[in-house]
Amino acid sequence: LEADYLGPLPTRPPGLSDDWLPPRGEVAATDTGLSGTLIHQLPGPLRDVIIVHCPGDGGMPQVWPLGPATAWAPGQPLNLRTITDNRPMPLVIEPRFERNDRGERVKWGGFLGFLTERGEAFGQEEDGLPAAQLSYRPDQITRAMEMLTFFGALPPPDYISSGLLAGGRNYTRGLGRECDLSHLLALRRVIIVGHLQDSPLPLPMTVDRRIIAAQGWTTIRWITPLTP
């Protein structure tokens, strides 16, 4: 079941006790990264958070992954200056030379290069199983959503290393085209992606005016423009 909704979320969805307030606060660009403090009031801690700073003017977006061990709890201030004082990962690094000093083939690097080197998002061994029997690890779901978010910027398949006759590796998306934010990467803005691993639906589903209980995975994406 796929439902598309375009509009603001209510502060408190009818029938649900949890608030769904997105991150709020002030964000500004600095010479080395970002400054500002953000808080959220989502119904649970955000995990596997990544912060993406798009400088605009043809600059390469920079990524700060907080990692699976760091959870951003509701009401907890997120200090962007402290985070972005650390060394970022470029969104993608194009290999410029065929081999490095050790004679190894240079592959695509950066955050997206790292994503595409981690194997399949969803294991092919599960193809053909009924939907009710499919089960994915949190790292698989996180990686799949990150790849869908920047699908248009993913490095091209490396057929030279993997071998064209061996099948190579390509990326397909049967669903989730609306998740692609690649067209926003050229503009000055900040994109934050995080995951609620166990939450109710942001908007309740009703059948015959009765709210149906729902619990599951929710990906949160927050986008704010940056003024010069």
Side-chain angles (χ1 to χ4, degrees):
L1 174 64
E2 179 180 359
D4 292 330
Y5 169 79
L6 180 62
L9 292 178
T11 300
R12 188 181 295 275
L16 297 180
S17 60
D18 293 311
D19 286 344
W20 281 86
L21 295 180
R24 61 188 188 275
E26 295 184 358
V27 181
T30 67
D31 292 337
T32 57
L34 300 169
S35 66
T37 301
L38 297 173
I39 61 171
H40 73 82
Q41 292 298 334
L42 296 166
L46 281 177
R47 301 185 180 277
D48 289 292
V49 175
I50 61 172
I51 299 171
V52 184
H53 173 212
C54 305
D57 299 325
M60 175 60 66
Q62 304 295 310
V63 185
W64 288 268
L66 302 192
T70 301
W72 181 14
Q76 174 188 351
L78 188 72
N79 190 318
L80 295 178
R81 180 179 290 276
T82 300
I83 292 172
T84 59
D85 278 344
N86 298 314
R87 185 177 180 180
M89 296 179 66
L91 184 70
V92 63
I93 300 175
E94 180 182 356
R96 297 292 182 180
F97 305 98
E98 186 173 350
R99 298 190 181 275
N100 61 20
D101 295 338
R102 297 186 297 274
E104 301 167 335
R105 247 193 80 77
V106 177
K107 299 182 179 181
W108 289 81
F111 180 75
L112 297 185
F114 174 71
L115 280 184
T116 56
E117 284 299 314
R118 286 167 57 190
E120 300 296 331
F122 294 150
Q124 293 181 340
E125 70 278 0
E126 296 176 322
D127 286 352
L129 288 178
Q133 298 181 22
L134 296 179
S135 178
Y136 300 116
R137 302 188 310 270
D139 64 294
Q140 289 178 303
I141 300 175
T142 297
R143 178 172 173 269
M145 289 306 304
E146 290 170 345
M147 293 180 72
L148 284 174
T149 296
F150 305 111
F151 194 88
L154 290 175
D158 185 3
Y159 289 112
I160 295 179
S161 293
S162 57
L164 182 60
L165 297 179
R169 175 183 295 170
N170 54 26
Y171 319 113
T172 59
R173 52 181 178 184
L175 294 173
R177 292 179 179 274
E178 298 86 352
C179 296
D180 196 347
L181 300 181
S182 302
H183 61 288
L184 299 180
L185 295 174
L187 307 175
R188 289 174 54 85
R189 61 188 64 240
V190 171
I191 301 172
I192 296 179
V193 183
H195 305 268
L196 296 171
Q197 295 185 6
D198 190 20
S199 70
L201 284 174
L203 288 177
M205 179 184 299
T206 62
V207 176
D208 295 332
R209 298 185 179 181
R210 291 185 300 174
I211 295 178
I212 303 302
Q215 205 76 11
W217 191 290
T218 303
T219 299
I220 303 295
R221 305 191 305 175
W222 183 74
I223 308 165
T224 184
L226 290 174
T227 57

